[in-house]
Amino acid sequence: MRPVARRILYLAIILLGLSWTVLSRPLAGSAGATTNGRIPAPQVGFLAPSFTLRELAGQTVNLSDYQGQVVLVNFWASWCPPCRAEMPAIQKLYQTYQSQGLVVLAIDASNQDRLDAMKTFLGSFTHSYAILLDTNGEVNRLYAVSSLPTTFFIGRDGIIRDQVVGGPLTIAGLSTRVEAMLQERP
């Protein structure tokens, strides 16, 4: 084969490969676009993995029971200063938006926390949202929580809209995220 023909062949193969790569990729900014977000994964754009935990009062809570509502899932522990600092803002957010369909599930990393310390901390301020106990760390692992606090914002359709690692979150930051989600319809 002649050198010119060989170069043309190589160029054609490279162009075909580039074309295939460009045409088969998901659109930019569409996390989960290839699955339409319907595969559970602890990432923005994907369906929030379902879990079942017990409340401090003993009742069983399942995330799937809140389909159609906006859910804030907050992973925390009583020994975590940013966690403690953001709890009053989360309470204020819940009081403000509960009637519009906001649910707050605060998951204590009970496998890393002492029950007496958690109860003492919770007794130091008013809260009316659900406190859930992750006694074996299973839900923390399911959501790949590597730092506390970690907060997931889940839309009415069950898709994770945002995730914040670290804190403390402010009422302004919380409200901005939640208000936008409350305006969406499933």
Side-chain angles (χ1 to χ4, degrees):
M1 184 181 287
R2 291 189 188 148
V4 173
R6 188 175 306 149
R7 286 182 186 152
I8 292 173
L9 179 63
Y10 290 150
L11 183 60
I13 291 171
I14 290 172
L15 287 174
L16 280 172
L18 285 172
S19 298
W20 178 261
T21 301
V22 169
L23 294 174
S24 65
R25 71 174 169 72
L27 296 175
S30 60
T34 57
T35 62
N36 201 23
R38 290 287 149 204
I39 293 177
Q43 299 174 36
V44 173
F46 286 83
L47 188 64
S50 189
F51 60 82
T52 302
L53 290 173
R54 290 211 178 272
E55 268 191 271
L56 191 56
Q59 297 168 305
T60 300
V61 172
N62 191 316
L63 177 63
S64 62
D65 293 342
Y66 300 106
Q67 186 76 12
Q69 295 177 287
V70 171
V71 182
L72 182 147
V73 177
N74 177 256
F75 291 88
W76 68 283
S78 65
W79 51 261
C80 165
C83 301
R84 295 170 70 106
E86 71 186 11
M87 289 293 214
I90 292 172
Q91 174 61 29
K92 184 172 181 159
L93 179 85
Y94 182 64
Q95 287 175 318
T96 304
Y97 297 105
Q98 175 187 11
S99 63
Q100 295 176 42
L102 174 66
V103 173
V104 173
L105 303 176
I107 300 176
D108 178 62
S110 306
N111 63 324
Q112 303 173 31
D113 208 353
R114 290 189 355 254
L115 189 60
D116 60 331
M118 180 195 50
K119 287 181 178 180
T120 300
F121 166 65
L122 291 173
S124 68
F125 77 101
T126 304
H127 68 283
S128 53
Y129 51 84
I131 303 293
L132 308 178
L133 305 175
D134 189 12
T135 54
N136 61 9
E138 182 178 325
V139 178
N140 274 264
R141 284 188 297 280
L142 179 65
Y143 275 75
V145 174
S146 60
S147 181
L148 296 175
T150 294
T151 306
F152 290 87
F153 297 84
I154 303 169
R156 295 180 189 275
D157 57 1
I159 303 294
I160 298 171
R161 296 284 192 272
D162 200 358
Q163 174 187 5
V164 177
V165 178
L169 291 168
T170 64
I171 188 66
L174 289 163
S175 295
T176 300
R177 289 173 173 92
V178 167
E179 284 174 2
M181 292 190 318
L182 286 169
Q183 292 174 7
E184 296 174 0
R185 293 291 165 210

